[in-house]
Amino acid sequence: MGTTCGLTIDPLCRYVRALVICFILLPCIQLSLGAKTRHFKWEVEYKYWSPDCVENIVMAINGQFPGPTIRAKVGDTINVELSNKLSTEGVAIHWHGIRQIGTPWADGTASISQCAINPGETYNYRFRVDKPGTYFYHGHLGMQRSAGLYGSLIVDLAEGEKEPFYYDGELNLLLSDWWHKNIHDQEIGLFTNPFRWVGESQSLLINGRGQYNCSLAAKFSSNTSISQCKLRGAEQCAPKILQVLPNKTYRLRLASATSLASLNLAIGNHKMLVVEADGNYVQPFEVDDLDIYSGESYSVLLTTNQDPNNNYWLSIGVRGRLPQTPQGLTILNYKPNSASKLPISAPPITPVWNDYNHSKAFTNKILALMGTPKPPVNHDRRIILLNTQNKINGYTKWALNNVSLVLPPTPYLGSIKYGLKNAFDQKNPPENFDSINYDVTKPPVNPNSTYGNGVYMLGFNTTVDVILQNANALSANVSEIHPWHLHGHDFWVLGYGDGKFSAENDEKKLNLKNPPLRNSAIIFPYGWTALRFVADNPGVWAFHCHIEPHLHMGMGVVFAEGVDRLSTIPNEGLTCGLTGKMFSGQKN
Amino acid sequence: MGTTCGLTIDPLCRYVRALVICFILLPCIQLSLGAKTRHFKWEVEYKYWSPDCVENIVMAINGQFPGPTIRAKVGDTINVELSNKLSTEGVAIHWHGIRQIGTPWADGTASISQCAINPGETYNYRFRVDKPGTYFYHGHLGMQRSAGLYGSLIVDLAEGEKEPFYYDGELNLLLSDWWHKNIHDQEIGLFTNPFRWVGESQSLLINGRGQYNCSLAAKFSSNTSISQCKLRGAEQCAPKILQVLPNKTYRLRLASATSLASLNLAIGNHKMLVVEADGNYVQPFEVDDLDIYSGESYSVLLTTNQDPNNNYWLSIGVRGRLPQTPQGLTILNYKPNSASKLPISAPPITPVWNDYNHSKAFTNKILALMGTPKPPVNHDRRIILLNTQNKINGYTKWALNNVSLVLPPTPYLGSIKYGLKNAFDQKNPPENFDSINYDVTKPPVNPNSTYGNGVYMLGFNTTVDVILQNANALSANVSEIHPWHLHGHDFWVLGYGDGKFSAENDEKKLNLKNPPLRNSAIIFPYGWTALRFVADNPGVWAFHCHIEPHLHMGMGVVFAEGVDRLSTIPNEGLTCGLTGKMFSGQKN
């Protein structure tokens, strides 16, 4: 109905109205929402690169390693046209920490949310970023994350919104580990009998840069065989210098894309105030050093309140495994000092790798900032997942409740949507293990396990608890740290404990008051971790150990919820396996 | 209608008739035709292996390297269920020399006849072998042939048929070259600027076996730095000993799956009678040594008429490129001598690498056996293909008439069948080059080239001539040998010549009398080669240099003929690219 133009719509009136709509109203809507669609055209290919001063091959995006940083505002739509320029390999990219609400097909997990993108083909990742925070993205097929397929994804507050803390500037650090052995060789070793472990990484990288044959801090080392790096700054392996002004506060955004390493980060002479974890605000707490496991992200505030005549080390080192990898280093450069001015003392020493009390103390400090949504008081279902190292026909594997995950060729999102029952085991995987008789402190009495690819079908909108139960590995007196990551959701971390979880004793200790919301959580050796989430995001979601070789050894499970509520799933990502056959009229 | 059972069909009669059909008639039909369907279930995966005594990774089939030998009779149907057990890579296997009459979708060329088989998926290769001979199979995606994905395919005469020569026994030798650098690294180098060539192979392999760190013939070498191999015979790199009895005639089946090397094969003290080339009989001729280029196969007869107290060397060496690879060796073991008894003199010396007169003399001896089909006297179309080395945006490439082939993601067989015009360049690629002005003896004046993926659309049943014209490469005074291989057909090799082909002068020299039928032919440095074939096999067919890195640098063209005559193409191999999109109802 016409308004000021009355009931008769003459051409002039129509024109004026169009003008009003086009030039006034739409931009207003745009401004008020502040939301944009951000387009990216990416090409993935291998490229020679020297991440740690030793030439090797990386999986690059648009010729860059690490891949380009995506920066967007809450409410924006990210549209990445990803072209696979590899010769023989598929590719898929996961947007780690983005829940993909309403767009489960954009989660980027090959075999789960989509077919791997074929060589020469392009896939359109289109999703909305709905929560500010520090995220990253990475390959989710084979060991392509280890190959260097990762980059930062940072979501800023919407226009006019304010963070609950103040800072003058920002520094972004994407952490990773790096092997000289190519990923194919690494991966084949995992699937070989006798088993060949990937071993410790040669280097740790900060923003894709490390030093293997030299050290930035050699002059402080008692090991005279290590030479001082002579880098001019333009090298691919030259450290990314962190330039700061004295007496300011900086937000350091930290994310760990490591394939294996659990890291500890410290900055000489400086304390850090932790304010964000996995894209969720936490109650600020101060630390001298910070543990960061694969798949985690943090923001810390750093105040440059030290002697402005000096520069300072930022170091990362390995925790949780006997470290055989040198520290990763860069320089916190107080301007106007020269970046080449070395700090006056040695870099911070990483806490002893197996000082788990240190790790637990840090982890237990992470609590939700007031105002964070609280978990439902009750759970509808509790899945207890015993993490064990096993043998299947002589091959070394990881299993959950004695099932070692092998992903099927048909993505679950399609096979569940279209009811293709031959695509995966239709039986629900086990909800529990024999908790009465299984001794988590000893190697498994019967280490045999089985392969499986069943799905935990979750009732839509139900509250699900997962208790991750650690155990002894195949060797006596060995129990490893595993950082578990959930796709499609944040979960509340209700608590950590030692030994076997006991509903009777441990239930009451769970924190329902201010548990942190996260997408990643670790289990400590011989311990358990209790998580709670609401299955309110229609789709199929991986939940897995974020140590890449562990995932490929079967350490993951698959959750599905509300797939029937998805009225349309784009077929673009489903033209493989049994969905591909179905589309082309073949019999399944 | 009933016969002996009359018009009324009672149960007993029906039973008797069924018995007759099942137990008498059907086996008779089977026997009279002698044709079988031979089923194979293959799994492709990477495996640690030591082809030349140095551990590396090979692409194995059912855990074997080389892959299993297929042996069948003329008229048999081969059915290979190929499962891709690789983690991230597609796979496709080409049955080299099998024309795939009526089954162009089974030719195994990724991007041409099918989509690469995805990880975890299975493709059914089903085709009839209609011609006896010595063939092989190999990967036809990326550099998977270089990775070791190959094996023998031997087709025997149908029951009751006889070869036009006699032999007592048979020995099968599949020849290849082997690099220590993994194929991904090799391939990335080719696509890098500055260009990195794969270099000469570390080893030559006979039936997948070579020796890198030692020599079987060290004691005959003046080079004292090479040690004598101490192999017990069970090692993966121990030579396959050729056991023979004195005074017998053996058929040696030879096939070269090399990635790069042109080889020369000789047997100490023995002469060889060449009787078959690429699955076609030739006029027998005797040689002391035999050139065999990548993609070629031969049968030679060897008579064990030498001193039966000795063993003899069989050696292969590199020709056509300055050799930096040691000879490949094994022992012709006259029983009952011990296999470990070394020959009394050094292995045969490979003719000097650039003695092209030697090569030409050999090649010119290859003529069709009487009774071989003769070529049509006239051609309907002549395509002249100038082979040049070029630059595109600084990248080193090979091109035909200035077009460097880049295969599209949608297999041509599907895109042509379904008229998907966006799938590839719709313009016919050039039929000729500027033969008046182009000086084939000098580096290109303008080395720039362009990428292309157009198709030579051939009239069905027309006779097509291809003149392959060699030229100088990018560097002065360099012109390389290229072995060209045609899929889907045999061609007649009408002649070879030096310099630029001239219709006026060279036409009359072409051999229409007894040109050999082959599927592979070489062009000599600065020379030309004239081929003729009849485009009578509906499908899309690659024609390319069989040097694997050259193909990936663009040295190939694509022919298509009679695709509209194919009433049905199985969709199984077309669920990628634009055909995949079409099947799934997406817009192309």
Side-chain angles (χ1 to χ4, degrees):
Chain A
M1 283 196 294
T3 51
T4 50
C5 290
L7 290 166
T8 57
I9 300 178
D10 63 61
L12 178 67
C13 172
R14 204 181 287 165
Y15 178 67
V16 169
R17 203 159 58 174
L19 261 187
V20 168
I21 290 168
C22 295
F23 292 91
I24 304 173
L25 292 180
L26 279 182
C28 285
I29 293 164
Q30 188 78 12
L31 273 174
S32 71
L33 294 175
K36 281 185 186 170
T37 296
R38 297 179 189 266
H39 288 280
F40 301 88
K41 278 198 174 207
W42 284 3
E43 295 188 346
V44 174
E45 61 184 334
Y46 282 114
K47 208 169 153 59
Y48 289 107
W49 205 272
S50 303
D52 62 354
C53 307
V54 177
E55 194 188 68
N56 214 311
I57 289 160
V58 299
M59 207 166 255
I61 296 174
N62 292 350
Q64 294 177 46
F65 167 74
T69 293
I70 291 184
R71 188 124 202 173
K73 284 197 169 66
V74 166
D76 286 354
T77 295
I78 307 289
N79 191 345
V80 178
E81 270 182 60
L82 189 76
S83 293
N84 179 353
K85 297 291 177 186
L86 305 170
S87 162
T88 57
E89 289 181 70
V91 78
I93 289 187
H94 169 58
W95 317 93
H96 187 110
I98 306 298
R99 293 171 296 172
Q100 303 291 354
I101 294 169
T103 53
W105 46 81
D107 194 44
T109 43
S111 283
I112 298 177
S113 64
Q114 67 169 109
C115 302
I117 308 164
N118 290 322
E121 298 195 39
T122 299
Y123 185 81
N124 228 7
Y125 288 102
R126 197 177 162 88
F127 56 90
R128 203 163 153 270
V129 289
D130 62 348
K131 204 156 60 80
T134 305
Y135 307 103
F136 65 112
Y137 60 83
H138 60 80
H140 216 294
L141 172 66
M143 305 254 295
Q144 295 183 344
R145 175 155 56 92
S146 297
L149 187 57
Y150 44 74
S152 292
L153 197 173
I154 293 170
V155 181
D156 291 304
L157 287 169
E159 207 71 45
E161 301 280 318
K162 280 203 173 143
E163 302 280 7
F165 41 82
Y166 173 81
Y167 52 98
D168 301 290
E170 195 179 305
L171 298 163
N172 180 35
L173 276 69
L174 181 60
L175 313 176
S176 57
D177 41 10
W178 185 248
W179 278 256
H180 290 169
K181 193 187 264 195
N182 77 73
I183 53 157
H184 301 282
D185 199 340
Q186 285 184 46
E187 191 173 5
I188 296 158
L190 299 177
F191 293 101
T192 293
N193 181 9
F195 181 67
R196 302 193 193 184
W197 176 236
V198 300
E200 299 304 309
S201 68
Q202 273 63 61
S203 308
L204 299 177
L205 309 181
I206 301 172
N207 292 335
R209 293 153 179 270
Q211 299 80 36
Y212 175 74
N213 283 326
C214 64
S215 168
L216 300 176
K219 65 171 276 196
F220 301 102
S221 172
S222 56
N223 183 346
T224 54
S225 69
I226 295 172
S227 65
Q228 182 71 30
C229 296
K230 285 173 190 141
L231 297 166
R232 291 162 177 226
E235 298 88 351
Q236 289 172 339
C237 66
K240 178 82 184 160
I241 300 294
L242 307 174
Q243 296 185 333
V244 292
L245 292 172
N247 296 312
K248 300 278 182 191
T249 296
Y250 292 87
R251 178 182 192 167
L252 263 68
R253 292 182 181 271
L254 310 170
S256 174
T258 56
S259 176
L260 173 62
S262 302
L263 298 174
N264 181 275
L265 180 143
I267 304 171
N269 292 45
H270 290 74
K271 291 187 183 296
M272 297 175 282
L273 191 73
V274 182
V275 294
E276 180 213 340
D278 297 356
N280 292 289
Y281 298 122
V282 298
Q283 283 182 23
F285 63 99
E286 197 175 66
V287 290
D288 291 313
D289 60 84
L290 167 140
D291 284 334
I292 179 166
Y293 301 92
S294 177
E296 293 188 335
S297 65
Y298 288 99
S299 283
V300 300
L301 299 183
L302 167 84
T303 300
T304 50
N305 54 8
Q306 296 300 302
D307 183 346
N309 296 312
N310 294 331
N311 291 333
Y312 299 89
W313 293 113
L314 182 145
S315 70
I316 52 173
V318 174
R319 303 213 65 217
R321 309 180 67 88
L322 185 63
Q324 293 172 359
T325 312
Q327 280 186 324
L329 293 172
T330 189
I331 301 274
L332 186 71
N333 172 212
Y334 272 54
K335 297 306 285 183
N337 298 333
S338 162
S340 61
K341 182 176 182 179
L342 283 186
I344 54 170
S345 53
I349 293 165
T350 305
V352 180
W353 71 274
N354 57 358
D355 179 1
Y356 292 115
N357 287 333
H358 186 99
S359 313
K360 288 174 188 174
F362 171 78
T363 301
N364 285 322
K365 281 183 196 156
I366 303 168
L367 296 168
L369 186 68
M370 209 184 294
T372 303
K374 289 192 179 185
V377 177
N378 298 308
H379 60 274
D380 298 305
R381 181 171 175 185
R382 176 172 283 170
I383 298 166
I384 303 183
L385 297 175
L386 176 72
N387 291 230
T388 51
Q389 201 178 27
N390 299 78
K391 290 275 183 184
I392 303 181
N393 303 326
Y395 293 89
T396 304
K397 298 287 166 189
W398 288 97
L400 285 311
N401 296 346
N402 221 30
V403 178
S404 184
L405 181 65
V406 176
L407 291 171
T410 311
Y412 291 105
L413 190 60
S415 52
I416 293 175
K417 171 75 184 175
Y418 292 109
L420 307 179
K421 296 195 188 302
N422 295 328
F424 62 93
D425 301 351
Q426 294 295 304
K427 218 172 59 188
N428 239 345
E431 299 273 307
N432 207 333
F433 65 102
D434 177 2
S435 63
I436 295 167
N437 295 307
Y438 196 96
D439 186 346
V440 299
T441 67
K442 300 232 173 74
V445 176
N446 174 5
N448 288 333
S449 183
T450 51
Y451 296 118
N453 60 19
V455 174
Y456 290 91
M457 299 288 183
L458 308 179
F460 187 68
N461 262 334
T462 56
T463 299
V464 178
D465 276 12
V466 175
I467 312 291
L468 288 163
Q469 176 66 58
N470 211 340
N472 197 101
L474 284 171
S475 306
N477 301 316
V478 173
S479 182
E480 297 184 17
I481 276 186
H482 302 284
W484 278 78
H485 170 64
L486 177 60
H487 292 228
H489 311 75
D490 287 338
F491 48 63
W492 291 273
V493 186
L494 303 186
Y496 301 87
D498 294 328
K500 204 186 287 179
F501 176 81
S502 144
E504 200 180 344
N505 302 322
D506 295 321
E507 185 86 41
K508 54 183 175 284
K509 297 182 208 156
L510 298 182
N511 174 12
L512 299 182
K513 207 183 94 205
N514 59 353
L517 261 179
R518 304 200 65 167
N519 59 57
S520 297
I522 54 158
I523 43 173
F524 289 106
Y526 300 109
W528 55 263
T529 298
L531 312 174
R532 179 166 294 178
F533 67 96
V534 179
D536 56 2
N537 189 9
V540 189
W541 309 106
F543 178 50
H544 61 92
C545 175
H546 208 260
I547 292 177
E548 194 158 53
H550 285 186
L551 170 57
H552 293 296
M553 291 164 70
M555 202 166 201
V557 297
V558 178
F559 294 140
E561 68 215 41
V563 174
D564 56 322
R565 305 174 81 95
L566 296 164
S567 52
T568 52
I569 295 177
N571 289 343
E572 186 185 359
L574 300 177
T575 62
C576 65
L578 298 185
T579 34
K581 279 196 169 180
M582 182 186 74
F583 294 148
S584 66
Q586 298 168 70
K587 283 184 200 147
N588 282 327
Chain B
M1 284 197 295
T3 51
T4 51
C5 292
L7 290 168
T8 57
I9 301 177
D10 64 60
L12 178 66
C13 171
R14 206 181 284 163
Y15 178 69
V16 170
R17 202 160 58 176
L19 261 188
V20 169
I21 292 169
C22 294
F23 293 91
I24 304 173
L25 292 180
L26 280 182
C28 285
I29 294 165
Q30 189 78 9
L31 274 173
S32 71
L33 294 175
K36 282 185 185 167
T37 296
R38 295 177 191 267
H39 288 279
F40 301 88
K41 278 199 174 206
W42 284 2
E43 296 189 344
V44 174
E45 61 183 335
Y46 283 114
K47 207 168 152 61
Y48 289 107
W49 204 272
S50 302
D52 63 353
C53 307
V54 177
E55 194 188 68
N56 213 311
I57 289 160
V58 299
M59 207 166 254
I61 297 174
N62 292 351
Q64 292 177 47
F65 167 76
T69 294
I70 291 183
R71 188 122 203 175
K73 284 196 169 65
V74 166
D76 286 354
T77 296
I78 307 289
N79 191 345
V80 178
E81 270 181 61
L82 190 75
S83 293
N84 179 353
K85 297 290 178 185
L86 305 169
S87 161
T88 57
E89 291 182 69
V91 79
I93 289 187
H94 170 57
W95 317 93
H96 187 109
I98 306 299
R99 293 171 297 172
Q100 301 291 356
I101 294 169
T103 52
W105 46 82
D107 194 43
T109 44
S111 282
I112 298 177
S113 64
Q114 66 168 109
C115 303
I117 308 164
N118 290 322
E121 298 195 39
T122 299
Y123 185 79
N124 228 8
Y125 288 103
R126 198 178 161 88
F127 56 90
R128 205 163 151 270
V129 290
D130 61 349
K131 206 158 56 81
T134 306
Y135 307 103
F136 65 111
Y137 61 84
H138 59 80
H140 216 294
L141 172 65
M143 306 254 294
Q144 293 182 345
R145 175 156 56 92
S146 296
L149 188 57
Y150 44 74
S152 293
L153 196 173
I154 294 170
V155 182
D156 291 304
L157 287 168
E159 208 69 47
E161 300 280 318
K162 278 200 175 148
E163 302 280 6
F165 41 81
Y166 173 81
Y167 52 98
D168 301 290
E170 196 179 303
L171 298 162
N172 180 36
L173 277 70
L174 181 60
L175 313 176
S176 57
D177 42 10
W178 184 249
W179 279 256
H180 290 169
K181 194 189 261 195
N182 78 72
I183 53 157
H184 300 282
D185 199 341
Q186 287 184 45
E187 191 173 7
I188 296 157
L190 299 175
F191 293 101
T192 293
N193 182 8
F195 181 67
R196 302 192 191 183
W197 176 238
V198 299
E200 300 303 310
S201 68
Q202 273 63 61
S203 307
L204 299 177
L205 308 182
I206 301 171
N207 292 336
R209 292 152 179 271
Q211 300 80 36
Y212 175 74
N213 282 325
C214 64
S215 168
L216 300 176
K219 64 170 277 197
F220 301 102
S221 172
S222 56
N223 183 345
T224 53
S225 70
I226 294 172
S227 65
Q228 183 71 31
C229 296
K230 285 173 189 141
L231 297 166
R232 292 168 176 220
E235 298 87 352
Q236 288 172 339
C237 65
K240 178 84 184 160
I241 301 293
L242 308 174
Q243 296 186 333
V244 293
L245 292 172
N247 296 311
K248 300 279 182 190
T249 296
Y250 291 88
R251 179 181 192 168
L252 263 68
R253 294 182 180 270
L254 310 170
S256 174
T258 56
S259 177
L260 172 62
S262 302
L263 297 174
N264 181 275
L265 179 142
I267 304 170
N269 293 44
H270 290 75
K271 291 188 184 295
M272 295 174 283
L273 191 73
V274 182
V275 293
E276 180 214 341
D278 297 356
N280 292 289
Y281 298 122
V282 299
Q283 284 183 21
F285 63 100
E286 196 176 69
V287 292
D288 290 314
D289 60 84
L290 167 140
D291 284 334
I292 179 165
Y293 301 92
S294 177
E296 291 187 336
S297 65
Y298 288 99
S299 283
V300 299
L301 300 183
L302 166 84
T303 301
T304 48
N305 53 10
Q306 297 300 302
D307 183 348
N309 296 312
N310 294 331
N311 290 332
Y312 300 89
W313 294 113
L314 182 145
S315 71
I316 52 174
V318 173
R319 304 215 63 218
R321 310 179 66 90
L322 184 63
Q324 293 173 358
T325 312
Q327 282 186 323
L329 293 171
T330 188
I331 302 271
L332 186 71
N333 171 213
Y334 272 55
K335 297 306 285 183
N337 298 332
S338 162
S340 61
K341 182 176 182 179
L342 283 186
I344 55 171
S345 53
I349 294 164
T350 305
V352 181
W353 71 273
N354 57 358
D355 180 358
Y356 293 114
N357 288 333
H358 186 98
S359 313
K360 290 173 187 173
F362 172 77
T363 302
N364 285 321
K365 282 184 197 155
I366 303 167
L367 296 168
L369 186 68
M370 207 182 297
T372 302
K374 289 189 179 188
V377 178
N378 298 307
H379 61 272
D380 298 305
R381 180 171 176 184
R382 177 171 284 169
I383 298 165
I384 303 184
L385 296 175
L386 177 70
N387 291 231
T388 51
Q389 201 178 28
N390 298 79
K391 290 275 184 185
I392 302 181
N393 303 327
Y395 293 89
T396 304
K397 297 288 166 188
W398 288 96
L400 287 310
N401 296 344
N402 221 30
V403 178
S404 183
L405 180 65
V406 177
L407 291 171
T410 311
Y412 292 105
L413 190 60
S415 52
I416 294 175
K417 171 76 185 175
Y418 292 109
L420 306 179
K421 296 195 188 302
N422 295 327
F424 61 93
D425 301 353
Q426 294 295 304
K427 219 173 54 187
N428 239 345
E431 299 273 307
N432 207 334
F433 64 103
D434 177 3
S435 63
I436 294 167
N437 296 307
Y438 195 96
D439 186 346
V440 299
T441 67
K442 301 235 172 73
V445 176
N446 174 5
N448 288 333
S449 183
T450 52
Y451 296 118
N453 58 20
V455 174
Y456 291 93
M457 297 289 184
L458 308 179
F460 188 67
N461 262 334
T462 57
T463 299
V464 179
D465 274 13
V466 176
I467 312 290
L468 287 163
Q469 177 64 60
N470 211 340
N472 197 101
L474 285 171
S475 306
N477 302 315
V478 173
S479 183
E480 297 183 18
I481 277 186
H482 301 285
W484 278 78
H485 170 64
L486 178 59
H487 292 228
H489 310 77
D490 286 337
F491 48 63
W492 291 273
V493 187
L494 304 185
Y496 302 87
D498 293 329
K500 206 186 284 179
F501 177 81
S502 144
E504 200 181 342
N505 302 322
D506 295 321
E507 186 86 40
K508 54 182 174 283
K509 296 182 210 158
L510 298 181
N511 174 14
L512 300 181
K513 208 183 93 207
N514 59 353
L517 261 179
R518 304 200 64 167
N519 59 56
S520 296
I522 55 159
I523 44 172
F524 288 108
Y526 301 110
W528 55 262
T529 298
L531 313 173
R532 180 166 293 177
F533 67 96
V534 179
D536 57 0
N537 190 8
V540 189
W541 309 107
F543 178 49
H544 62 91
C545 176
H546 209 259
I547 292 176
E548 194 158 53
H550 285 187
L551 170 58
H552 293 295
M553 291 164 70
M555 201 165 204
V557 297
V558 178
F559 294 140
E561 68 215 41
V563 174
D564 55 324
R565 306 172 81 95
L566 296 165
S567 53
T568 52
I569 296 178
N571 290 342
E572 186 185 0
L574 300 176
T575 60
C576 65
L578 298 185
T579 33
K581 278 194 170 182
M582 183 186 74
F583 294 147
S584 66
Q586 300 168 69
K587 283 182 200 149
N588 283 325

